[in-house]
Amino acid sequence: MTAMSKWTAFLLSACVPGAGQLAARSWTCLPWFAAAACLVAVFAHFGKLADGAAWPLAAQFGAGATLCLLSAEHAKRLLEQGQGRNSRVVSTTVSCAGGHGRSVDIAIVLTVKRSPENLWQQIRDLPRFLTIDPFHDKVIVMRDSPDVGVDLTLSHNAFGCRFLRFGRILAWREGFGYAFSDLSARGPRTGFPHVFDVQIEPLPEPLPSPQHSPPMSRLTIRVRGRWTSWLVPVWLGRLWIRLVCLEHARLLQKGL
Amino acid sequence: MPASCKRACDVSEAAEVGPSTIPAICCLRCAAELPAAERPAICPTCGLQYDPARPETYATHRSSSRWKFWLPGFLLSVTVGTLAYAGCLQTGEMGYALFFAVPVSFGAILGYATRVQTWALVFLAILTITTVIFTLIAMNLAGIFCGFTLGIIFLVPTFAGLLCGVLLRAILIATRWDHAWYFRWYVWLIAVMPLGAQQIESAFPHRHEIAVVQTGLTVDATPEEAWNAIMFYEDVQHAPPWLLHLALPKPIRSEGNKQQEGSLVRCFYNCGTISKRISQVQRPRKLSFEVVEVVMRSENYANLKDGSFEIEPVGTRQSRITLTTRYQRKLTPAWIWEPIERKVIHTLHGHVLEGMRRKAEGQEPEEKPKEDEPYERQDGQRPAPRVAVRMPMEAAP
């Protein structure tokens, strides 16, 4: 029996709060079902009080949509893998470099309680590390080992919709980082072409203290690309990428 | 000497060529067929790398988009459903062809033209019904309330058609017909089936039924006070129930003298007007009117005939008000639509009676009613027989 995809649980709970939790075999489906039932009862009672007025419909729709989205996000997080409480990530920041025109430039900086060598062993495992990204489902390195010029096939899964994107390792600095591209199958000029730049920097050791402090490293993941969609305005695209990076940072906290 | 069978055919070539053991491999990006190689290579078309020793780096079949398995069938089903409904509606008849043949038709197309799993088929059927309904509402071919009702009515015939479409496809595949060639013809036949059914239905004699709906309410007022509180739907001041919001045009006002026999009262709505002539005035017992003209931009699902207000004294300080509405039914089958029509008209009567009660008893218009449904439905209590007129078939030219 294959493991349930987190997006399947997301979509189930988006339709019926608690359904994704039930599919994930979590007891938390019960309070979500109860919350949905309470909301329906409130709607029915509120509808009578409103005496046929139209404005409560908007409030009811908003409340229902909010409950569904919250339940969907919770169901998705139930199926995420990661350590959670034992995370080695000390701090996380997501910053935008203020792109011009249609450019997008966002950086995720994490301070990790690992030595650079230890951290490098984690991030060089591309099929595992790159799938921490919220929309990267599977990563295939097209040669036996990653190196400059090696192609990548990046299977994306966004809200249950699967599609392939393709990239290439642009730079590989053993022990320090790498860079790779993420392009649409339709070509490098459409579908938000962007480049990931992953770098590790050792952090200076803190002042001597009675307790031995583990070595610290700074992991920087920089996403630079071009927003090519004409349907969605650039500012909204940057906002969306920022939200995705925030989610990515949260998943990195669990995954490292 | 080449090997030969009894007929002296050279079978050595057939013996040497065994079954194909190397399946064709395709590029993950461009789906081009990749040449057989023993070492890592690149796609000759797009340049994407692949490794014959690692199956995850190539595809074993031309990846066709999964959308092709359902999206064209879904779009075709929605298009056929919408156009068939619009086509059947042009004849003015709203009967079995419109409410059953149309959903069977687009359900059959969906079942025939899509190749998905069962759960996806069920989901697509519901999505198709919803999309057709929304399209009809957007094209002003149905109101919101009627659309919602249609969505429920369409469920069973759509799934019946879905099953027929799936069975047809299975039969064609089992009989090894070239269903790809016959695809267009079957789809055309299924698509025009509702129009054919509409023509057949129109050829049958129609039974024009006059339905009578009566609603009563006892108010704490004398008959004279109740008479002075007589009002039409357009004159009621408090907000109508949500059912009337959805099912009926929005009333604006009415003009004319309601107390004078023979006078014409014009009622204005957001999408047209209804003109009523006061046919009988027996103060303070009965006021009757007949509908002389209906000019509406929206779809008209019933022909209003006439109505009346009847007031009977109950004790010394109470009166019983009875509203009666007669209308000619247009929607068939009656066993589906008549309960809905009666519910709407009873709600309308209740709304008007509540307005009259508030005025007669001296209450504020914005006060809440005492009960959810204070009025009484009187259908069947007063024998007002339904008049059925059998229309003769039109003579052939």
Side-chain angles (χ1 to χ4, degrees):
Chain A
M1 188 174 173
T2 58
M4 169 168 287
S5 162
K6 64 181 182 180
W7 291 113
T8 302
F10 180 90
L11 292 174
L12 284 172
S13 278
C15 294
V16 179
Q21 285 80 354
L22 180 64
R25 300 181 184 181
S26 169
W27 63 269
T28 55
C29 65
L30 296 175
W32 283 110
F33 285 143
C38 289
L39 199 64
V40 171
V42 167
F43 286 170
H45 181 65
F46 202 45
K48 287 183 182 178
L49 292 177
D51 194 21
W55 63 267
L57 283 176
Q60 291 173 7
F61 180 77
T66 303
L67 181 68
C68 287
L69 286 175
L70 288 174
S71 176
E73 183 64 23
H74 176 251
K76 181 171 74 72
R77 294 191 182 194
L78 283 177
L79 291 172
E80 285 172 355
Q81 297 175 358
Q83 300 175 16
R85 293 182 179 178
N86 297 329
S87 172
R88 298 292 189 99
V89 176
V90 175
S91 66
T92 309
T93 56
V94 176
S95 58
C96 298
H100 302 287
R102 294 190 154 269
S103 65
V104 174
D105 192 347
I106 297 178
I108 306 171
V109 181
L110 301 101
T111 304
V112 187
K113 272 195 264 184
R114 284 183 189 272
S115 64
E117 297 77 21
N118 196 328
L119 190 57
W120 171 250
Q121 293 304 315
Q122 271 197 299
I123 71 168
R124 76 183 308 274
D125 182 5
L126 295 184
R128 184 197 163 273
F129 179 72
L130 297 188
T131 52
I132 296 178
D133 185 293
F135 294 127
H136 287 176
D137 193 33
K138 185 180 177 184
V139 173
I140 303 170
V141 182
M142 303 300 263
R143 289 289 182 259
D144 290 335
S145 59
D147 203 347
V148 176
V150 173
D151 286 343
L152 300 172
T153 299
L154 305 129
S155 173
H156 286 60
N157 187 347
F159 304 101
C161 183
R162 294 176 187 268
F163 51 95
L164 291 179
R165 290 174 66 94
F166 302 89
R168 179 170 292 174
I169 298 176
L170 305 173
W172 187 268
R173 300 174 293 274
E174 189 71 29
F176 294 99
Y178 52 82
F180 68 93
S181 58
D182 185 341
L183 307 176
S184 167
R186 292 177 294 164
R189 294 186 182 276
T190 62
F192 182 51
H194 54 284
V195 170
F196 283 85
D197 192 354
V198 182
Q199 287 189 3
I200 296 177
E201 300 169 46
L203 285 177
E205 290 185 4
L207 292 174
S209 64
Q211 294 177 343
H212 172 70
S213 56
M216 306 273 275
S217 307
R218 179 183 292 127
L219 175 64
T220 304
I221 301 173
R222 194 173 176 189
V223 179
R224 285 179 294 173
R226 178 179 168 79
W227 188 257
T228 55
S229 170
W230 290 96
L231 293 176
V232 180
V234 179
W235 62 269
L236 196 57
R238 288 202 189 100
L239 178 62
W240 167 248
I241 299 302
R242 182 180 170 83
L243 290 174
V244 173
C245 287
L246 285 170
E247 178 69 4
H248 193 182
R250 186 184 68 79
L251 293 172
L252 284 169
Q253 279 188 312
K254 293 177 70 173
L256 292 179
Chain B
M1 182 175 176
S4 62
C5 63
K6 290 181 178 178
R7 294 185 180 179
C9 304
D10 184 0
V11 298
S12 57
E13 186 178 347
E16 286 172 1
V17 177
S20 173
T21 56
I22 304 173
I25 58 176
C26 305
C27 175
L28 285 175
R29 180 157 59 189
C30 65
E33 194 167 330
L34 299 173
E38 293 182 354
R39 60 179 64 185
I42 65 172
C43 171
T45 305
C46 69
L48 183 68
Q49 298 164 356
Y50 71 100
D51 186 351
R54 297 170 57 206
E56 67 268 22
T57 62
Y58 55 81
T60 54
H61 58 274
R62 288 182 185 274
S63 61
S64 58
S65 174
R66 290 180 186 176
W67 305 91
K68 295 181 183 176
F69 293 115
W70 64 271
L71 188 59
F74 167 73
L75 293 177
L76 187 63
S77 177
V78 169
T79 305
V80 166
T82 306
L83 292 179
Y85 188 94
C88 290
L89 204 59
Q90 297 309 308
T91 63
E93 298 290 335
M94 288 180 277
Y96 287 92
L98 193 65
F99 301 122
F100 289 98
V102 168
V104 167
S105 167
F106 69 74
I109 289 177
L110 189 69
Y112 183 76
T114 56
R115 285 181 287 170
V116 292
Q117 295 179 358
T118 306
W119 68 267
L121 203 55
V122 172
F123 174 75
L124 276 179
I126 296 173
L127 186 64
T128 303
I129 293 173
T130 308
T131 309
V132 168
I133 297 298
F134 274 128
T135 308
L136 293 176
I137 294 175
M139 293 169 62
N140 211 22
L141 293 175
I144 295 177
F145 179 74
C146 186
F148 176 76
T149 311
L150 277 179
I152 298 174
I153 292 173
F154 279 179
L155 275 175
V156 172
T158 300
F159 278 97
L162 193 73
L163 189 62
C164 293
V166 171
L167 284 175
L168 177 63
R169 184 184 185 86
I171 291 170
L172 290 176
I173 292 173
T175 54
R176 297 180 187 240
W177 278 28
D178 186 2
H179 62 276
W181 175 256
Y182 287 98
F183 178 82
R184 292 178 207 147
W185 297 107
Y186 280 111
V187 169
W188 274 112
L189 282 174
I190 296 171
V192 302
M193 184 260 291
L195 301 178
Q198 184 69 60
Q199 294 301 316
I200 295 172
E201 189 177 11
S202 301
F204 279 91
H206 297 294
R207 188 184 166 91
H208 290 282
E209 297 182 351
I210 303 294
V212 181
V213 180
Q214 289 183 318
T215 316
L217 179 69
T218 301
V219 299
D220 294 330
T222 62
E224 193 65 34
E225 290 169 339
W227 178 268
N228 292 331
I230 284 180
M231 59 181 64
F232 286 164
Y233 178 38
E234 306 76 29
D235 304 318
V236 179
Q237 294 193 14
H238 66 274
W242 63 268
L243 181 60
L244 300 186
H245 267 302
L246 293 177
L248 298 180
K250 183 182 176 183
I252 299 175
R253 69 178 191 281
S254 64
E255 294 175 351
N257 188 355
K258 302 181 186 62
Q259 307 285 344
Q260 185 177 354
E261 198 168 311
S263 66
L264 194 68
V265 178
R266 205 147 179 233
C267 306
F268 294 86
Y269 297 85
N270 62 339
C271 56
T273 58
I274 295 178
S275 299
K276 305 170 185 174
R277 175 168 283 111
I278 306 298
S279 57
Q280 187 180 13
V281 177
Q282 295 178 0
R283 190 186 183 101
R285 290 284 181 261
K286 184 172 183 179
L287 185 144
S288 306
F289 61 89
E290 53 190 27
V291 177
V292 295
E293 184 187 49
V294 177
V295 179
M296 285 285 178
R297 289 187 294 276
S298 61
E299 188 60 49
N300 192 12
Y301 299 115
N303 289 335
L304 295 173
K305 290 296 182 185
D306 49 54
S308 66
F309 295 78
E310 293 181 56
I311 301 172
E312 294 176 3
V314 178
T316 55
R317 279 292 305 172
Q318 286 187 326
S319 304
R320 179 143 191 96
I321 309 173
T322 303
L323 264 64
T324 303
T325 297
R326 294 201 325 143
Y327 67 98
Q328 178 184 337
R329 300 197 57 258
K330 293 177 67 176
L331 301 176
T332 55
W335 56 274
I336 289 181
W337 288 106
E338 192 167 356
I340 300 172
E341 294 164 2
R342 289 186 176 276
K343 172 65 179 175
V344 172
I345 296 177
H346 277 303
T347 306
L348 170 65
H349 284 177
H351 178 62
V352 174
L353 285 170
E354 178 59 26
M356 289 178 61
R357 185 193 67 78
R358 294 183 183 189
K359 185 176 179 182
E361 294 180 359
Q363 281 188 12
E364 291 297 322
E366 298 305 319
E367 282 187 28
K368 304 295 180 188
K370 294 177 183 176
E371 304 168 21
D372 280 341
E373 285 192 5
Y375 54 85
E376 296 172 11
R377 304 182 186 192
Q378 295 182 188
D379 300 341
Q381 294 180 11
R382 277 195 184 187
R386 177 183 303 175
V387 177
V389 177
R390 186 174 295 275
M391 302 298 293
M393 291 180 63
E394 292 180 3

